[in-house]
Amino acid sequence: MKYIFIIFFSFCGLFFNNGLKAAEKINIKFEEMEIPLTIEQLSKLEKYKDDSTELIDWLKKNGFIRVFELSKFLEFPVFKEEGLNREILRSWIGRKILTELSKSIKVPNDNNGTEIYNTIENLLDQKKEVSTLDIIKALPSEEISLDIDNLILIISSWKNELSMQQELLSKLNQLERTKQNAFKNTKKSTKDLIKIEKKIYAPHRVKPFEVEIWKSNKTNFDKELIIFMPGLGGEINNFKWIGNELANRGWPILFIDHRGSNLESFIEVLDGKGTIPGSADFFLYRVKDLDTVLKAHENGEFGLPNNSYILMGHSLGALIALLYEGKKPTDQLGEKCNSALKDFAVTNLSKLLQCQLSEIPFPKKNNTNKASAIVGFNSFGSLVWPKENSTGIKAPTLLIGGTYDLITPLMNEQFRVFYALDNPSNRFLIIEGASHFSPIRINKSYEENNDLFKISESFIGSEPILVQDLSTKFIVEFLKNIKDQKIPNVVKNQNDLGLDFHLLDLETIKEISEN
């Protein structure tokens, strides 16, 4: 999911571009008023800030001083011929964003952003970097309108989301602290692990996809196979920490490397050797990969003593687990997406992925079994299952999320997925300060030599390794409770490893979600 940030920031650039557009004249509209500006005036707008004219004095007096800051972005190169920018523009996500953007940045007779798209594409054919001013001058229109009122609504949605996060923290801190220990002392037995790399051949793949199987030398007849799926742009190496922890406690664990939407695929896009993954890579092939793995497991191809299984995943990987076990998207998804993307998904980037599900014809399962349990990090799917108990999933589920997740926010995304599940043993582990990227462990030497991993610390949140260690404790305890048919305890306002956390049931999640 780290690449969603690349998508987001690419379109932030597009947002500013369009905000300044006016081939001959730009009409800035707000509160049923309109101010016409020429390109020259727009490009020098910041210089006018200290002048005193009737219009400028009125703008200052009525709180529109930020209008003068628009020109700061004019000459900044927001699109580059290299990298993901161009591929994103050509993708489904690009089309959706441009369509919504054209409602705020209005070019006559262009209701879906086609003129904006064509202009950017033509400029990128001519030069390596494209600025806002380049786009303004190149747009084939004499007059363009910027609807500030609509943009204010978008900005307000972001402010509302931040306010909700702050209110959530306040409510969590007010929960009455539970006295019992959050988990028992679970010792990790050091065992010799067998690590097997295996190629899986499947009809939906031209080339085989790869899996890694980690298991103990000693056969554990009472432990189910755990199947782990990384998120979009993720790789197996990011989650070896959980492989070590669980395999050393006796669970065999299989990691799926989803070709087409993994790290390697995005590196190929950046190197100009591939195209940005589409909805088939995001969903269809991932679901089929999982189905193929489970069919092989059912047939005994992994040499395990039973054919039961547990699904586990991060972000998109968690969604695939839920899609596989639950009800598939309905025709109503398209209608929901029409309203869900009006704010460009700036407060919930997962909506950009969810809305592509309407294009996917899901195959029937070849596997006859059901998951014994599901564990999801930073899950999403609120547009797919908008109502309580709507997933149809009865398997006990542990969802894990952090209060600093800016990709799939707790209140408006992850909690709603939790509502859609149906089992009294379901629990939600909230780790204060953890982010969407906290479960990802990155090899430091690789990070230093690869710009893809240079994520700002402000997006990572609290110490990711501590978050991972705490998550492991709860996963182990949760799986043991499920095996022993025990209802997991509810834990409120406790601290371990320097992190504040809460393990909550549906009733408490509803309590802290109420306004």
Side-chain angles (χ1 to χ4, degrees):
M1 283 295 289
K2 46 185 165 278
Y3 293 96
I4 295 298
F5 266 118
I6 298 174
I7 294 170
F8 173 58
F9 287 124
S10 295
F11 281 106
C12 279
L14 181 58
F15 171 90
F16 287 121
N17 293 347
N18 293 325
L20 304 174
K21 287 174 181 154
E24 294 293 335
K25 183 174 69 173
I26 181 167
N27 297 315
I28 299 179
K29 296 182 177 181
F30 52 89
E31 296 184 3
E32 300 182 356
M33 292 176 286
E34 186 174 298
I35 297 177
L37 296 173
T38 65
I39 287 184
E40 183 179 2
Q41 289 172 329
L42 185 63
S43 62
K44 297 179 180 179
L45 199 54
E46 190 178 11
K47 297 178 181 178
Y48 299 149
K49 185 167 58 176
D50 297 326
D51 292 349
S52 180
T53 66
E54 185 177 351
L55 174 58
I56 292 172
D57 290 342
W58 185 89
L59 287 170
K60 293 177 182 177
K61 182 179 179 181
N62 287 275
F64 293 103
I65 192 70
R66 286 195 172 184
V67 171
F68 296 105
E69 297 176 5
L70 291 175
S71 57
K72 287 182 182 179
F73 304 100
L74 278 175
E75 297 182 0
F76 183 79
V78 289
F79 284 96
K80 298 182 180 182
E81 198 276 333
E82 298 178 350
L84 287 174
N85 284 263
R86 201 162 193 174
E87 294 297 336
I88 292 168
L89 276 173
R90 294 169 176 172
S91 70
W92 182 95
I93 291 174
R95 297 195 302 272
K96 277 292 182 182
I97 292 292
L98 287 171
T99 298
E100 292 302 322
L101 197 56
S102 65
K103 297 175 184 178
S104 296
I105 314 302
K106 299 180 181 179
V107 179
N109 302 317
D110 182 26
N111 296 323
N112 56 13
T114 302
E115 291 290 358
I116 297 171
Y117 169 79
N118 289 337
T119 299
I120 296 170
E121 280 278 12
N122 291 336
L123 286 170
L124 288 173
D125 285 337
Q126 302 166 24
K127 52 201 307 185
K128 292 185 177 180
E129 295 184 343
V130 175
S131 71
T132 297
L133 191 57
D134 293 328
I135 299 170
I136 293 171
K137 290 179 178 178
L139 271 169
S141 178
E142 295 183 355
E143 187 172 330
I144 299 167
S145 298
L146 169 61
D147 190 340
I148 289 183
D149 290 332
N150 197 40
L151 295 178
I152 287 174
L153 290 175
I154 296 168
I155 295 169
S156 296
S157 69
W158 176 257
K159 290 182 177 179
N160 290 338
E161 183 63 42
L162 293 177
S163 176
M164 288 174 67
Q165 286 186 4
Q166 291 171 350
E167 187 177 353
L168 172 61
L169 277 171
S170 176
K171 288 183 176 180
L172 288 171
N173 291 330
Q174 291 172 17
L175 291 174
E176 184 178 353
R177 180 183 175 87
T178 49
K179 296 179 181 180
Q180 72 269 22
N181 291 330
F183 27 69
K184 299 174 183 176
N185 184 19
T186 56
K187 294 182 179 180
K188 178 172 68 172
S189 56
T190 54
K191 301 177 180 178
D192 293 331
L193 296 182
I194 302 172
K195 298 182 182 180
I196 304 168
E197 294 183 359
K198 188 177 178 65
K199 294 183 183 295
I200 304 290
Y201 291 84
H204 65 282
R205 295 283 190 185
V206 176
K207 297 180 180 180
F209 63 94
E210 297 177 351
V211 300
E212 280 190 25
I213 306 167
W214 299 21
K215 58 182 180 179
S216 169
N217 267 321
K218 182 181 177 182
T219 301
N220 289 278
F221 291 93
D222 63 334
K223 295 290 176 69
E224 299 95 335
L225 171 66
I226 294 174
I227 298 172
F228 191 98
M229 293 167 283
L232 177 61
E235 62 168 352
I236 293 173
N237 285 335
N238 297 150
F239 300 96
K240 283 188 174 181
W241 60 271
I242 200 167
N244 275 317
E245 294 292 338
L246 295 177
N248 274 314
R249 287 176 169 87
W251 281 282
I253 183 166
L254 182 149
F255 294 96
I256 302 179
D257 184 21
H258 293 286
R259 185 185 298 276
S261 60
N262 58 3
L263 173 65
E264 182 182 357
S265 302
F266 280 89
I267 291 177
E268 288 178 354
V269 173
L270 289 172
D271 291 342
K273 299 176 183 177
T275 58
I276 197 165
S279 53
D281 295 297
F282 293 156
F283 305 112
L284 183 60
Y285 296 157
R286 277 178 170 250
V287 168
K288 288 186 174 183
D289 288 348
L290 175 58
D291 193 57
T292 302
V293 165
L294 285 170
K295 190 65 179 177
H297 177 46
E298 190 175 32
N299 292 336
E301 294 180 24
F302 303 136
L304 298 173
N306 59 62
N307 62 3
S308 57
Y309 64 92
I310 295 165
L311 295 183
M312 193 176 297
H314 174 243
S315 194
L316 178 59
L319 175 62
I320 296 302
L322 297 173
L323 283 170
Y324 188 80
E325 294 293 321
K327 294 179 180 178
K328 303 304 180 281
T330 66
D331 295 337
Q332 296 177 342
L333 179 61
E335 297 176 9
K336 293 182 183 300
C337 288
N338 288 334
S339 59
L341 295 180
K342 286 183 178 178
D343 63 353
F344 305 157
V346 294
T347 62
N348 183 352
L349 297 174
S350 75
K351 291 189 292 187
L352 295 171
L353 289 179
Q354 293 181 62
C355 287
Q356 294 188 67
L357 281 165
S358 59
E359 301 181 346
I360 297 297
F362 281 94
K364 291 183 179 179
K365 290 173 61 174
N366 287 316
N367 169 49
T368 57
N369 292 341
K370 289 283 187 181
S372 302
I374 300 173
V375 178
F377 293 89
N378 310 98
S379 308
F380 61 93
S382 65
L383 295 178
V384 184
W385 305 290
K387 298 178 181 179
E388 284 193 37
N389 306 328
S390 57
T391 61
I393 295 174
K394 303 295 184 181
T397 302
L398 172 65
L399 298 187
I400 302 173
T403 56
Y404 202 59
D405 192 334
L406 304 177
I407 305 294
T408 53
L410 288 177
M411 292 287 283
N412 282 331
E413 186 58 41
Q414 296 187 49
F415 286 175
R416 294 184 182 183
V417 175
F418 194 65
Y419 296 159
L421 301 167
D422 184 19
N423 190 299
S425 293
N426 290 346
R427 292 293 180 265
F428 201 118
L429 173 61
I430 302 172
I431 304 176
E432 295 190 23
S435 78
H436 197 83
F437 302 102
S438 296
I440 297 172
R441 188 172 296 188
I442 298 167
N443 182 288
K444 290 295 181 183
S445 61
Y446 193 47
E447 179 182 11
E448 291 171 1
N449 297 306
N450 198 315
D451 288 339
L452 292 176
F453 292 108
K454 292 180 180 176
I455 302 170
S456 169
E457 289 186 5
S458 61
F459 293 127
I460 295 175
S462 298
E463 293 288 342
I465 292 179
L466 295 180
V467 171
Q468 293 160 18
D469 290 345
L470 183 64
S471 298
T472 299
K473 290 185 177 184
F474 275 102
I475 291 170
V476 170
E477 186 70 15
F478 180 78
L479 295 181
K480 285 187 173 183
N481 280 326
I482 298 308
K483 190 69 178 179
D484 296 338
Q485 297 185 337
K486 294 180 180 178
I487 302 291
N489 292 328
V490 171
V491 179
K492 303 175 185 177
N493 258 325
Q494 290 210 19
N495 182 285
D496 189 51
L497 304 177
L499 297 171
D500 294 323
F501 62 86
H502 317 262
L503 184 69
L504 306 180
D505 58 3
L506 180 59
E507 181 182 351
T508 313
I509 291 292
K510 288 182 176 180
E511 177 187 329
I512 61 175
S513 299
E514 292 177 354
N515 294 326

